[in-house]
Every structure is written in C-alpha cells, then in structure tokens.
Amino acid sequence: MDDTQQPQAAGTGTTAAEAAAELAGIRRRQEQVIKAVLVPVWYWWVMAAAIVAIGAARDSGNLVVQATVIPLAVLVMAVLTGVMIPQVRRRVQVHTPQTDGRAAAAIFAMIVLVDGVIISLAISLAAARVPHPVTIACAAGAAVLVITGPLVNGYVRKLMLRQARQQATGVPQAAGTP
C-alpha cells in the first residue's frame, strides 16, 4: 500500500451490492408498515353483510325485524369502524407516510359509488315492482363494496409507497404517478 493513500472514511467501504440489499430491506419494511395500516379484506365482507342485513330487514315488512336488525347492523358497522382506526394506529408504531388528498378522494368516491348503486337500484326495482328491491339493491351495493374496498386499499398502498420513495430520495414523483 502506498504511503500517500488516505484511509477511507468510516462507512464508505460499503459495496454497491450491500447498499442495494440494504435498500431492498428498507423497502420491504416500508411495505410491511403500509400493509399494516390498510383495512383488512374481512372488514369489507362484514360491512357488506351488514348492508345486506339492513336491506333484507327493510324488505321483510316486519316492524320487529326492522327495529331489531337495522339498529344492530348499524351498530356493528359503527363499532367495527370505530375499533379499526385505533387498532391500525396501535399496529403501526412508526411514522407512516401521509398521502395527499387522493386517498381521501378515492375513499369518498367508493362510498358515493356504493350508496349510488344501492339508492338508484332500489328506486328502479321498486318502480318496476320487483319483489325485495332493497335487499337486491343492498346486495349489489355490498358486492361493489367487496370489490372496490381492496382496490382502494391497493391504490392507497401505491400512493403511500410512492411518497415513501419520494421521501427517501428527495425527488418528487410525477403528480399522476402513484
């Protein structure tokens, strides 16, 4: 070794392969954290079942059934939603990337779509004098929820990963690229 060579500064002896492996590990951990924040798939199924129960109770025409099932289904939906928010926060002890308004807009659009399907289909079926219009409409809305819930989760996941990459590199991503 030549006496004129300077010693390497601490931490600069890392090879490109080691750095790439470490970066891949960081990305894996980010994805695990983001996955833990998202709503589990079973949540959409429970909400869908509650929606169908409300529709079936309404179409039953039985006031006792309506007075029992509808408040119970609404209670299940409210409690489940109320429990999910703190549960997600407890599972994630680290700072997760905050998404912009696109995540909220996607969730809002999903809610409007589900409600729109239920209301418009129930009105159309009732006008056509189809038996059990609210049950059918709620089943259709529940199907939309079960399909779009995981899709919204995937979209929010992409937004959060994009923001995590942006924060890691300091380079803003294109606005239309999740």
Side-chain angles (χ1 to χ4, degrees), residues 6-34:
Q6 297 292 324
Q8 288 186 339
T12 60
T14 305
T15 67
E18 290 170 333
E22 184 63 29
L23 186 56
I26 290 169
R27 287 190 178 137
R28 256 191 326 276
R29 287 188 295 278
Q30 285 175 334
E31 287 187 31
Q32 289 171 343
V33 168
I34 290 169

Side-chain angles (χ1 to χ4, degrees), residues 33-55:
V33 168
I34 290 169
K35 184 178 178 185
V37 173
L38 298 176
V39 176
V41 173
W42 61 261
Y43 173 86
W44 306 115
W45 285 93
V46 172
M47 296 301 261
I51 290 169
V52 173
I54 290 169

Side-chain angles (χ1 to χ4, degrees), residues 13-118:
T14 305
T15 67
E18 290 170 333
E22 184 63 29
L23 186 56
I26 290 169
R27 287 190 178 137
R28 256 191 326 276
R29 287 188 295 278
Q30 285 175 334
E31 287 187 31
Q32 289 171 343
V33 168
I34 290 169
K35 184 178 178 185
V37 173
L38 298 176
V39 176
V41 173
W42 61 261
Y43 173 86
W44 306 115
W45 285 93
V46 172
M47 296 301 261
I51 290 169
V52 173
I54 290 169
R58 173 61 183 91
D59 277 342
S60 75
N62 184 326
L63 293 179
V64 173
V65 171
Q66 290 178 24
T68 305
V69 173
I70 293 173
L72 184 60
V74 170
L75 181 64
V76 165
M77 295 168 83
V79 167
L80 184 59
T81 301
V83 167
M84 285 302 298
I85 295 169
Q87 182 181 2
V88 165
R89 288 185 183 185
R90 273 193 301 274
R91 285 190 310 223
V92 180
Q93 298 294 324
V94 296
H95 171 73
T96 58
Q98 299 297 315
T99 59
D100 54 17
R102 289 182 284 180
I107 294 166
F108 183 74
M110 179 184 67
I111 292 167
V112 168
L113 176 64
V114 170
D115 290 347
V117 166
I118 292 170

